């Protein structure tokens, strides 16, 4: 028993699901459900179909390179059974899974970060430009300018510690 | 000695058929189109080709026939004589000769006409020459028609001749008609020859095969012979005579002791003596048949004497048998075969080749050196091992265990028992294959924990960093936020208004401001809007009012005077006009908006009751006819009527 990956959407295929197609050149295509199978028959390229993992990885939406992936390799040579190794492996799998999950979440959060800044910039601009809709320019001039405060970039103290460390070393 | 196969001779066509075949071939296989306008050389070539082609075909076919038929001189004398007997050698040779002549004639015709064609000067002349050539060839062929027919006959008959291998050991059966030759053949071989009570049932030679001492013998059955001089013999008898004379075989002369064949023993003896000289060196056996009817002992003295005479002539070989009771049949066969075998071996030994062959053989027999016994030698270790194995108990096999536990379908052998592991307790562990959607086997690694620890360290290091991030002050104060919201709301309202305006643009008239019936454009409104923007509107209102039309009108009133009546009059007069002009379009038909409002309220109240009663009003949809005929009946001109 082995969990395979769907050729089209890269999702896991559990036993008893999906279809396998063997081509004349002996290449095996596994599909998790008929949706993927039908898309394949239509000769669609998964790298162009938005909802597949292949697309997401190609366009940088999901994490591609990570050390956690190296721990999971398909081994062709069977190893002799060792209970301790098996125990450790089972524990390790859980940890690795968590780490991978967290890292993937980080990746996505990182992707979303610049959006907030952009939104703020646009709001500021809008405020400047369209203030005339609610306040007449005369009124504004008479008022004190206290709308916007210039942004301050504050670097975290981490850098200094790194420098310190380097100095120490 | 070869076995002749007369079945492979090609069919000989009749004269007319041959002509048809050759001419149609010419027609099909040579080009057919030629014109007067073509160059003369081309015309000549065209016709020459036809003549040559026809000649070649004739020659080929005739040559084939001539070569296929055997030459009487070249074949074994037995067959030569047989052919002569059956078909008359001379006639046969003549026919073949005629074919040969025809062939030569055709060749000569072709040579002549090709020479003539070389100098043909017109298409017509060449064509005539070709016609003449072909015509002559056909005439020649027609003339040999009878020969062809005869040869075809001969071919058909020859194909049915028995295939006798002249070199193989043969047994020849001869004797008077009806003595039992064919029945004997049937007995010893698988041949199925007709056996009937009348004479000359067998009209030609028949061959059967039998085995003796791993050798195959041919047995030839001949038609019966009568005691006649050679010249008087008919074709059938001549067949058997041919066989007797030409074949080297063991001859079985059959005697019928009982005389039921229709010939007495004396007649049979006479026959024997007359054909004696034909036997030459062949081994002869006298076989007395039909002993069930008459035994040898029961013969009369004279007959016995005749028989004995025959026996002495045949080198004292006399056998008795009865084909009906099968008594002695096998003995006869064995005796005949044996005699033949002996003779053949003798002959071989006497032949010139034998010493050369014998010289090559030498069988060496080792002489014993001494009388010591030398048995088989087996090393001691092997003997011990064998003894041990025999004494060794049978161990319990997996198969036995399986059978104990219920057989093949019920019990499946546990392969885990024989696993080689570091610790034997682990043999019966249940191994998980999946965990949380991962294949466990993909992760197995002896130092997996180490690497996981490294990973965790990495992670924690990254966390401590917190990462490089920019702190930006919330640049929006609460006021600014509020303003932003206001702006956005205002924008939305504008968009909505614009959309309504756009959608109703077609039905709404574009009216200039002076016909403002809804009284939108008032100074109060302006004042409100300006104050919402944060500007003091009073000055703007003043200015607007100072320039309005109504203001100007009021000025005039004041100048005239403050008389109430006058005022009233003027007011009334002017007021009416004004009122006419100022009356908004929406108050059409009514005195003022108050009146209109009242009217609207009254209308609403009137319909309230009706609505409460839920009665059908004027505005409610009415279907005058619920089932109009044209929808519920009739066939459609195209389409189905399963929906109405």
């Amino acid at each position: 028993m082995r969990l395979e990956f769907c050729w089209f959407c890269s999702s896991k295929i559990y036993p008893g699901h999906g279809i396998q197609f063997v081509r004349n050149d002996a290449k095996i295509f596994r599909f998790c459900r008929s949706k993927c199978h039908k898309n394949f028959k239509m000769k669609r390229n998964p790298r162009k179909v938005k909802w597949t993992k292949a697309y997401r990885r190609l366009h940088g939406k999901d994490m591609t390179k990570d050390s956690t992936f190296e721990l999971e390799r398909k081994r062709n040579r069977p190893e002799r059974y060792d209970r301790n190794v098996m125990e450790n492996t089972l524990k390790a799998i859980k940890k690795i899974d968590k780490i991978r999950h967290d890292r993937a979440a980080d990746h996505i959060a990182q992707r979303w970060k610049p959006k907030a800044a952009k939104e703020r910039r646009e709001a500021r601009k809008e405020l400047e430009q369209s203030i005339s809709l609610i306040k007449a320019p005369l009124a504004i001039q008479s008022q004190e300018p206290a709308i916007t405060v210039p942004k301050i970039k504050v670097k975290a103290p981490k850098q200094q510690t790194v420098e310190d460390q380097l100095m120490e070393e | 000695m070869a076995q002749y196969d007369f079945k492979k001779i090609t069919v000989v066509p009749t004269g007319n058929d041959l002509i048809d075949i050759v001419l149609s071939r010419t027609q099909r296989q040579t080009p057919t189109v030629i014109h007067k306008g073509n160059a003369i050389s081309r015309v000549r070539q065209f016709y020459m080709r036809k003549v040559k082609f026809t000649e070649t075909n004739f020659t080929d076919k005739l040559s084939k026939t001539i070569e296929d038929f055997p030459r009487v001189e070249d074949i074994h004398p037995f067959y030569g004589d047989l052919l002569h007997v059956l078909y008359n050698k001379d006639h046969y040779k003549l026919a073949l000769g005629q074919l040969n002549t025809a062939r030569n004639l055709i060749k000569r015709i072709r040579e002549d006409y090709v020479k003539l064609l070389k100098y043909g000067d017109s298409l017509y002349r060449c064509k005539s020459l070709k016609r003449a050539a072909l015509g002559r060839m056909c005439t020649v062929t027609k003339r040999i028609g009878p020969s062809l027919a005869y040869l075809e006959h001969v071919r058909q008959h020859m194909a049915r001749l028995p295939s006798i291998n002249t070199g193989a050991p043969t047994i020849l059966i001869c004797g008077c008609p009806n003595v039992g030759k064919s029945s004997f053949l049937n007995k010893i071989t698988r041949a199925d020859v007709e056996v009937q009570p009348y004479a000359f049932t067998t009209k030609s030679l028949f061959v059967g095969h039998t085995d003796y001492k791993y050798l195959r013998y041919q047995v030839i059955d001949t038609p019966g012979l009568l005691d006649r001089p050679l010249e008087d013999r008919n074709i059938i008898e001549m067949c058997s005579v041919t066989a007797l004379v030409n074949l080297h075989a063991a001859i079985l002369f059959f005697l019928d002791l009982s005389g039921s064949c229709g010939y007495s023993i004396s007649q049979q003896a006479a026959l024997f003596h007359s054909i004696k000289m034909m036997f030459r060196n062949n081994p002869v056996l006298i076989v007395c048949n039909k002993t069930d009817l008459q035994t040898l002992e029961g013969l009369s003295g004279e007959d016995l004497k005749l028989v004995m005479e025959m026996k002495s002539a045949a080198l004292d070989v006399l056998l008795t048998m009865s084909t009906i009771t099968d008594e002695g049949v096998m003995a006869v066969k064995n005796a005949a075969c044996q005699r033949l075998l002996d003779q053949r071996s003798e002959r071989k030994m006497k032949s010139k080749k034998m010493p050369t062959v014998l010289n090559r053989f030498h069988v060496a027999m080792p002489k014993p050196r001494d009388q010591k016994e030398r048995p088989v030698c087996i090393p001691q270790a092997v003997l011990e091992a064998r003894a041990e194995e025999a004494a060794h108990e049978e161990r319990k096999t997996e198969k036995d265990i399986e059978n104990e536990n219920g057989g093949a379908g019920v019990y499946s052998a546990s392969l885990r028992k024989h696993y080689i592991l570091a610790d034997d307790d682990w043999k019966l562990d249940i191994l998980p294959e999946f965990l949380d959607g991962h294949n466990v086997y993909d992760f197995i690694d002896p130092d997996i924990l180490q690497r996981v620890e490294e990973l965790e360290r990495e992670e924690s290091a990254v966390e401590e960093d917190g990462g490089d991030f920019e702190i930006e002050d919330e640049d929006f104060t609460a006021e600014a936020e509020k303003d932003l919201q206001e702006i956005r709301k205002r924008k939305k309202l504008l968009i909505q208004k614009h959309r309504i305006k756009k959608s109703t643009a077609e039905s709404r008239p574009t009216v200039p401001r002076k016909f403002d019936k809804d009284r939108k454009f008032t100074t109060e409104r302006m004042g409100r809007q300006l104050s919402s923007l944060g500007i003091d509107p009073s000055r703007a209102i003043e200015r607007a009012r100072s320039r309005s039309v109504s203001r100007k009108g009021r000025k005039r009133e004041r100048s005239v005077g403050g008389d109430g009546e006058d005022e009233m009059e003027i007011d009334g007069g002017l007021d009416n006009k004004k009122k006419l002009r100022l009356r908004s379009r929406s108050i059409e038909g009514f005195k003022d908006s108050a009146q209109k409002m009242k009217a609207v309220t009254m209308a609403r109240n009137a319909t309230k009751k009706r609505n409460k009663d839920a009665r059908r009003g004027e505005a409610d949809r009415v279907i005058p006819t619920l089932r109009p005929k044209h929808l519920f009946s009739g066939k459609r001109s195209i389409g189905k009527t399963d929906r109405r």
Side-chain angles (χ1 to χ4, degrees):
Chain A
M1 286 286 146
R2 233 194 104 77
L3 289 176
E4 302 288 353
F5 289 99
C6 174
W7 184 85
F8 198 81
C9 63
S10 313
S11 64
K12 289 201 201 82
I13 307 176
Y14 273 86
H17 290 260
I19 285 180
Q20 279 185 20
F21 164 62
V22 182
R23 209 164 52 178
N24 277 354
D25 59 358
K27 186 159 160 55
I28 303 178
F29 297 88
R30 296 176 219 267
F31 305 106
C32 58
R33 57 203 195 286
S34 62
K35 177 176 178 179
C36 302
H37 189 41
K38 283 177 184 163
N39 270 308
F40 173 79
K41 284 196 277 188
M42 276 197 271
K43 296 190 174 179
R44 285 200 183 147
N45 189 352
R47 284 156 189 258
K48 290 194 177 171
V49 179
K50 290 256 170 65
W51 51 272
T52 57
K53 209 86 179 128
Y55 175 94
R56 288 186 67 81
R57 288 205 190 111
L58 186 70
H59 289 74
K61 314 271 180 197
D62 276 346
M63 184 170 70
T64 38
K65 281 198 267 244
D66 197 42
S67 51
T68 49
F69 290 125
E70 282 152 39
L71 288 166
E72 181 175 6
R73 260 186 314 121
K74 183 176 179 196
R75 280 149 241 269
N76 287 320
R77 205 180 293 147
E79 307 251 338
R80 203 180 283 279
Y81 176 65
D82 190 326
R83 194 190 274 178
N84 303 320
V85 171
M86 184 61 82
E87 269 184 55
N88 296 342
T89 311
L90 292 173
K91 288 187 208 149
I93 288 175
K94 283 205 182 304
K95 293 188 191 153
I96 293 167
D97 215 15
K98 183 171 175 312
I99 292 171
R100 194 191 292 174
H101 197 71
D102 291 340
R103 286 191 186 174
D106 277 342
H107 175 92
I108 293 175
Q110 200 69 22
R111 264 203 308 130
W112 281 93
K113 246 199 220 152
K115 189 166 176 183
K118 191 173 163 211
E119 271 183 8
R120 251 178 261 127
R121 266 185 282 125
E122 281 182 0
R124 213 177 306 123
K125 210 164 114 190
E126 197 181 352
L127 200 57
E128 278 177 34
Q129 285 179 342
S130 315
I131 196 70
S132 51
L133 286 176
I134 51 169
K135 287 185 176 145
L138 296 165
I140 290 169
Q141 270 179 19
S142 57
Q143 281 180 11
E144 283 168 24
I147 300 167
T148 55
V149 173
K151 58 178 179 181
I152 312 160
K153 257 194 186 174
V154 177
K155 286 267 191 302
K158 170 204 104 180
Q159 262 193 350
Q160 292 170 2
T161 53
V162 168
E163 279 177 272
D164 284 342
Q165 278 177 12
L166 283 170
M167 300 264 293
E168 279 176 350
E169 283 171 22
Chain B
M1 292 292 182
Q3 183 137 0
Y4 290 101
D5 193 1
F6 296 132
K7 297 193 199 4
K8 291 240 179 86
I9 306 175
T10 45
V11 180
V12 183
T14 62
N16 287 332
D17 275 350
L18 184 59
I19 292 168
D20 281 339
I21 290 167
V22 172
L23 288 181
S24 65
R25 271 203 95 192
T26 315
Q27 170 72 9
R28 274 184 290 121
Q29 307 236 356
T30 51
T32 50
V33 184
I34 191 81
H35 301 298
K36 257 197 315 206
N38 292 124
I40 191 65
S41 59
R42 202 165 138 199
V43 171
R44 285 182 195 144
Q45 210 183 32
F46 175 83
Y47 285 113
M48 275 202 285
R49 186 169 164 183
K50 285 204 185 273
V51 171
K52 287 184 195 169
F53 192 85
T54 315
E55 182 269 334
T56 328
N57 276 321
F58 269 125
T59 318
D60 283 344
K61 293 220 183 289
L62 291 173
S63 308
K64 189 125 206 317
T65 309
I66 293 167
E67 274 157 28
D68 273 349
F69 275 97
R71 286 158 67 132
V72 180
E73 296 82 27
D74 290 345
I75 55 179
H76 192 268
F78 165 64
Y79 274 111
D81 279 349
L82 195 62
L83 285 180
H84 175 58
V85 162
L86 292 169
Y87 317 125
N88 194 352
K89 196 163 57 173
D90 300 325
H91 194 182
Y92 179 84
K93 273 185 170 177
L94 255 155
L96 286 176
Q98 271 202 335
L99 252 62
N100 201 20
T101 337
R103 192 171 54 164
N104 290 335
L105 282 173
I106 289 174
K107 219 179 269 182
R108 200 138 340 118
I109 293 169
R110 164 239 161 97
E111 280 161 14
D112 291 341
Y113 276 90
V114 163
K115 272 194 214 143
L116 287 172
L117 268 168
K118 266 201 259 184
Y119 302 104
D121 47 5
S122 74
L123 179 115
Y124 178 71
R125 193 159 315 213
C126 290
K127 185 171 178 183
S128 314
L129 284 170
K130 166 224 150 202
R131 280 188 69 203
L134 294 198
R136 281 180 69 173
M137 290 186 209
C138 292
T139 325
V140 167
T141 318
K142 252 188 258 178
R143 279 214 306 267
I144 60 164
S147 300
L148 289 167
Y150 166 73
L151 283 171
E152 174 60 20
H153 253 20
V154 167
R155 181 197 76 87
Q156 280 177 359
H157 197 272
M158 271 210 298
R160 286 192 225 113
L161 286 177
S163 53
I164 295 172
N165 190 352
T166 46
T170 324
I171 297 174
L172 201 62
I173 312 172
C174 59
C176 281
N178 254 359
V179 292
K181 304 186 286 295
S182 302
S183 4
F184 179 67
L185 186 74
N186 284 342
K187 282 284 168 197
I188 52 172
T189 69
R190 283 199 64 192
D192 202 5
V193 187
E194 220 186 310
V195 175
Q196 295 285 342
Y198 62 87
F200 293 104
T201 317
T202 312
K203 294 188 196 60
S204 64
L205 301 172
F206 285 101
V207 186
H209 297 270
T210 179
D211 297 312
Y212 177 74
K213 281 195 181 166
Y214 310 111
L215 258 186
R216 196 129 249 233
Y217 287 81
Q218 276 179 132
V219 188
I220 303 179
D221 178 27
T222 64
L225 285 166
L226 295 172
D227 191 15
R228 287 206 284 218
L230 193 61
E231 307 80 46
D232 296 342
R233 291 199 187 279
N234 57 33
I235 296 178
I236 302 173
E237 291 175 308
M238 282 307 292
C239 279
S240 65
V241 167
T242 321
L244 267 175
V245 171
N246 289 311
L247 288 175
H248 176 262
I251 300 173
L252 294 174
F253 187 84
F254 270 51
L255 263 184
D256 182 359
L257 295 175
S258 62
S260 57
C261 59
Y263 304 95
S264 67
I265 293 187
S266 49
Q267 284 173 314
Q268 291 180 50
L271 173 67
F272 178 78
H273 290 294
S274 63
I275 64 174
K276 208 168 42 180
M277 56 218 62
M278 291 191 229
F279 296 158
R280 291 185 290 171
N281 304 336
N282 296 336
V284 182
L285 290 90
I286 313 284
V287 179
C288 304
N289 199 10
K290 302 190 187 174
T291 48
D292 53 303
L293 293 171
Q294 171 78 25
T295 58
L296 192 63
E297 290 75 36
L299 271 180
S300 64
E302 267 189 38
D303 292 339
L304 201 58
K305 205 175 81 182
L306 286 166
V307 171
M308 286 306 140
E309 268 180 35
M310 282 199 283
K311 182 179 162 189
S312 60
L315 302 166
D316 294 334
V317 180
L318 186 87
L319 296 155
T320 57
M321 68 167 204
S322 167
T323 47
I324 296 183
T325 58
D326 274 349
E327 193 190 314
V329 170
M330 279 301 140
V332 170
K333 172 196 144 194
N334 291 342
C337 292
Q338 190 61 48
R339 278 216 59 196
L340 196 60
L341 194 63
D342 292 338
Q343 211 215 19
R344 280 170 80 99
S345 334
E346 247 186 76
R347 184 140 1 114
K348 265 207 187 123
M349 295 294 281
K350 281 194 209 141
S351 73
K352 285 188 215 159
K353 281 200 210 150
M354 273 316 286
T356 51
V357 173
L358 273 174
N359 285 342
R360 294 200 203 131
F361 283 113
H362 177 65
V363 181
M365 295 293 293
K367 275 197 300 200
R369 193 166 49 183
D370 50 25
Q371 302 306 107
K372 207 170 158 187
E373 205 186 285
R374 292 181 171 90
V376 169
C377 173
I378 303 175
Q380 191 60 27
V382 171
L383 281 172
E384 281 175 13
R386 281 196 197 162
E388 212 184 282
E389 238 183 71
H392 184 56
E393 272 175 42
E394 270 193 35
R395 64 191 165 117
K396 205 167 192 190
T397 58
E398 283 290 336
K399 192 96 180 128
D400 294 334
I401 299 173
E402 187 184 77
N403 289 330
E404 270 175 38
N405 291 349
V410 178
Y411 171 86
S412 61
S414 161
L415 300 164
R416 287 168 172 259
K417 283 197 293 198
H418 301 290
Y419 279 1
I420 306 165
L421 298 172
D423 187 350
D424 281 343
D425 291 340
W426 300 343
K427 275 190 190 171
L428 296 169
D429 270 357
I430 304 169
L431 317 173
E433 294 183 38
F434 306 145
L435 181 68
D436 289 346
H438 297 286
N439 290 312
V440 169
Y441 295 128
D442 289 347
F443 283 89
I444 290 181
D445 204 348
D447 36 286
I448 185 104
L449 272 187
Q450 253 181 25
R451 302 170 75 179
V452 173
E453 272 176 49
E454 276 173 35
L455 252 187
E456 290 195 317
R457 257 181 278 138
E458 263 180 55
E459 272 297 294
S460 49
V462 169
E463 269 175 36
E464 277 166 21
D465 288 351
D468 232 6
F469 60 92
E470 299 171 356
I471 311 172
E472 282 185 23
D473 248 347
E474 289 286 329
D475 56 348
F476 291 132
T477 56
E479 258 188 55
E481 274 289 341
K482 222 172 57 176
D483 286 342
L484 199 59
Q485 300 287 357
E486 275 286 328
I487 290 170
R488 292 205 173 131
K489 208 163 76 178
R490 187 60 78 78
K491 277 194 180 165
K492 273 203 195 124
L493 280 173
L494 280 173
I495 291 168
Q496 265 181 8
K497 257 200 235 165
H498 177 72
R499 282 192 183 144
I500 293 169
K501 211 160 101 174
K502 226 172 49 165
S503 61
T504 57
E506 284 177 10
S507 49
R508 228 175 357 93
T510 40
V511 183
R513 198 181 273 199
K514 60 180 181 175
F515 299 120
D516 167 33
K517 59 177 180 169
D518 294 327
R519 298 277 174 90
K520 279 194 294 188
F521 299 102
T522 59
T523 45
E524 283 124 25
R525 198 157 168 259
M526 188 177 78
R528 266 181 284 145
Q529 284 184 346
L530 284 174
S531 53
S532 74
L533 280 177
I535 304 172
D536 185 24
S538 46
R539 282 181 59 203
I541 292 170
E542 266 181 54
R543 202 160 144 266
R545 287 212 178 122
S546 69
R547 300 178 69 143
S548 70
V549 175
S550 51
R551 201 145 177 84
K552 282 195 184 143
R554 229 160 266 160
K555 254 191 186 166
R556 261 239 221 121
E557 282 172 41
R558 282 214 199 108
S559 60
V560 172
D563 229 300
E565 288 178 15
D566 289 82
E567 274 185 35
M568 288 298 281
E569 277 184 84
I570 294 164
D571 266 2
L574 284 167
D575 262 332
N576 281 339
K577 254 195 183 172
K578 255 188 279 169
K579 275 192 183 147
L580 276 172
R581 261 198 310 193
L582 291 170
R583 194 169 295 181
S584 167
R585 280 220 201 140
S586 59
I587 321 176
E588 282 162 350
F590 297 100
K591 197 167 68 176
D592 51 23
S593 56
Q595 200 183 48
K596 185 170 181 191
M597 294 283 288
K598 198 170 173 203
V600 167
T601 324
M602 280 175 75
R604 264 202 229 123
N605 289 338
T607 58
K608 253 191 221 169
K609 188 164 194 260
R610 216 176 34 234
N611 285 350
K612 267 214 178 124
D613 288 345
R615 274 148 122 225
R616 199 171 66 195
E618 297 149 345
D620 293 318
R621 289 236 175 98
V622 175
I623 301 172
T625 48
L626 278 171
R627 296 175 58 97
K629 186 166 169 204
H630 72 282
L631 294 179
F632 284 90
S633 73
K635 296 191 179 182
R636 292 190 214 270
S637 52
I638 52 156
K640 293 198 281 189
T641 330
D642 48 347
R643 287 187 291 270
R644 282 210 188 266

